[in-house]
Amino acid sequence: MDTLGVVATALWAMLPAYVPNNAAVLAGGGRPIDGGRTMGDSRLLGDGKTWRGTATGTLAGTLAALVLDALSPAASGLVGHSLPGFPLTAGFGLALGAMLGDIGASFIKRRSGRERGAAFPGLDQLDFVVGALACAFVVAPAWFGATFTLPVLVVVVVATPILHVATNGIAYRLGLKNEPW
Ligand code: CTP
Ligand code: MG
């Protein structure tokens, strides 16, 4: 596969994992998942992880995969490369995994004494990638193996932090997010 094909495949395959966090920012609020519970001196997860944000994010990512499937023939023609399709399990796994990775990161942040919204460079940019890939691997192993070849994985790990910083910067400037990370 040529470089353009690898990059296009990586970004396309990860789109259902990129959508959930952004949807959660827009839809978040309401009851926190941890119900206000604490562990030691800190909240278990904090007020930034809500049921509504998590459910909306997962749904939005799953729907994104369905939309991508519909656009796939046209997009494949444009980049001159056959882009991956999404079995329902794969789209759902990527979306739910992205949310779970982000939730896991909040758990780690609270344990390390960081308040809600505090930055944790590296973790903030890759938590949802690790969650999405792990979850997709569990629920759709054959699809995962065929889609995420080593070169594709390398592009995902390098390109995602760049995209994450850019989109969160935009969300911050638009007043949608409280912090630019
Ligand atoms: N959000 C949510 N549910 C989630 C993830 C995010 O409701 N599972 C919403 C919250 O309103 C949150 C916002 O999206 O404040 C931004 O998400 P994020 O940056 O992940 O949360 P923070 O508020 O920064 O909290 P943390 O320090 O725990 O990451
Ligand atoms: Mg944050």
Side-chain angles (χ1 to χ4, degrees), residues 8-159:
T9 299
L11 299 182
W12 187 266
M14 285 302 283
L15 270 169
Y18 292 155
V19 167
N21 293 282
N22 297 295
V25 170
L26 299 177
R31 241 173 77 74
I33 295 171
D34 67 9
R37 276 183 282 276
T38 55
M39 184 189 253
D41 292 335
S42 309
R43 285 283 294 277
L44 201 56
L45 301 173
D47 283 332
K49 304 295 116 133
T50 68
W51 288 109
R52 195 167 79 207
T54 308
T56 309
T58 304
L59 189 68
T62 308
L63 287 177
L66 295 177
V67 172
L68 289 176
D69 259 350
L71 299 176
S72 177
S76 296
L78 276 177
V79 296
H81 179 83
S82 164
L83 293 164
F86 295 96
L88 194 58
T89 48
F92 176 72
L94 287 166
L96 177 66
M99 291 276 83
L100 293 179
D102 177 59
I103 290 168
S106 290
F107 179 79
I108 294 171
K109 284 177 167 186
R110 300 300 93 81
R111 303 287 74 71
S112 68
R114 287 172 174 79
E115 296 297 328
R116 172 190 181 181
F120 196 142
L123 191 66
D124 281 327
Q125 286 73 38
L126 286 171
D127 53 16
F128 65 103
V129 176
V130 173
L133 293 177
C135 201
F137 175 74
V138 170
V139 300
W143 177 84
F144 183 94
T147 307
F148 292 104
T149 57
L150 191 58
V152 170
L153 278 176
V154 169
V155 171
V156 166
V157 170
V158 172

